[in-house]
Amino acid sequence: MTGVRPAERKDAEAWLRMRRALWPEGSEREHRKEIEQFFAGLSREPLAVLVAFDSRGGGGIGFAELFIRPCAEGCQTDRVAYLEGWFVEEDERRRGVGRALLGAAEAWARARGCTEFASDSQPANAVSASAHRALGFDEVGTLVCYRKQL
């Protein structure tokens, strides 16, 4: 059985471990700093973090980081709930953990007046694409981002 609740300070190490698995390009120090800023109320993003846990006494097995954006690809409103990060431990996948996180994320979004929910992933991430489609997301485009140092 999986439970989902807002992240608490006691979840920091589990959240750090999962964040590093989802975004390995970030250093442990960077992730730890962002987590500390979130719990101190000093971060602009994410607005909320949900943690999935094994209700039989286990620790964190998944998380969702949420934000509200003024726009998102394929969306019509100016207040779009956005799934900034979504992760489920590999051995817990296909057991309803991602669905439970997304359900709680949608409830969070509705409670804040959002009528659209958006997300993204890397184009080559077939696992993420499959999970998004399985939970009702429609693909609205592929985006390539550019950057230039000034």
Side-chain angles (χ1 to χ4, degrees):
M1 189 83 183
T2 300
V4 176
R5 60 169 166 70
E8 300 172 1
R9 192 167 285 281
K10 68 182 181 181
D11 301 314
E13 290 303 313
W15 182 20
L16 172 65
R17 175 181 41 72
M18 293 184 287
R19 251 182 157 244
R20 292 193 68 206
L22 179 60
W23 296 304
E25 65 280 0
S27 71
E28 179 176 340
R29 194 178 118 244
E30 291 169 323
H31 287 301
R32 193 175 295 282
K33 180 180 177 183
E34 290 178 18
I35 289 168
E36 283 305 313
Q37 287 178 329
F38 174 79
F39 285 124
L42 301 174
S43 68
R44 187 177 88 74
E45 185 181 326
L47 287 178
V49 177
L50 303 173
V51 175
F53 58 94
D54 181 342
S55 60
R56 296 169 293 198
I61 57 174
F63 76 91
E65 292 188 11
L66 306 169
F67 192 64
I68 297 176
R69 292 187 177 187
C71 63
E73 286 295 316
C75 293
Q76 304 299 311
T77 62
D78 63 357
R79 190 168 169 75
V80 180
Y82 209 87
L83 187 59
E84 297 289 347
W86 184 28
F87 179 82
V88 175
E89 295 284 359
E90 194 168 341
D91 58 344
E92 298 293 338
R93 293 178 186 164
R94 304 192 63 81
R95 295 182 182 183
V97 178
R99 183 176 301 279
L101 280 165
L102 190 61
E106 290 172 352
W108 175 88
R110 284 186 193 97
R112 281 147 189 84
C114 298
T115 59
E116 293 180 289
F117 199 86
S119 183
D120 61 41
S121 72
Q122 296 294 323
N125 189 337
V127 171
S128 179
S130 177
H132 278 85
R133 281 192 299 276
L135 295 177
F137 283 93
D138 295 318
E139 186 174 328
V140 294
T142 302
L143 180 64
V144 177
C145 300
Y146 298 92
R147 177 186 177 277
K148 182 176 181 179
Q149 183 73 38
L150 296 178

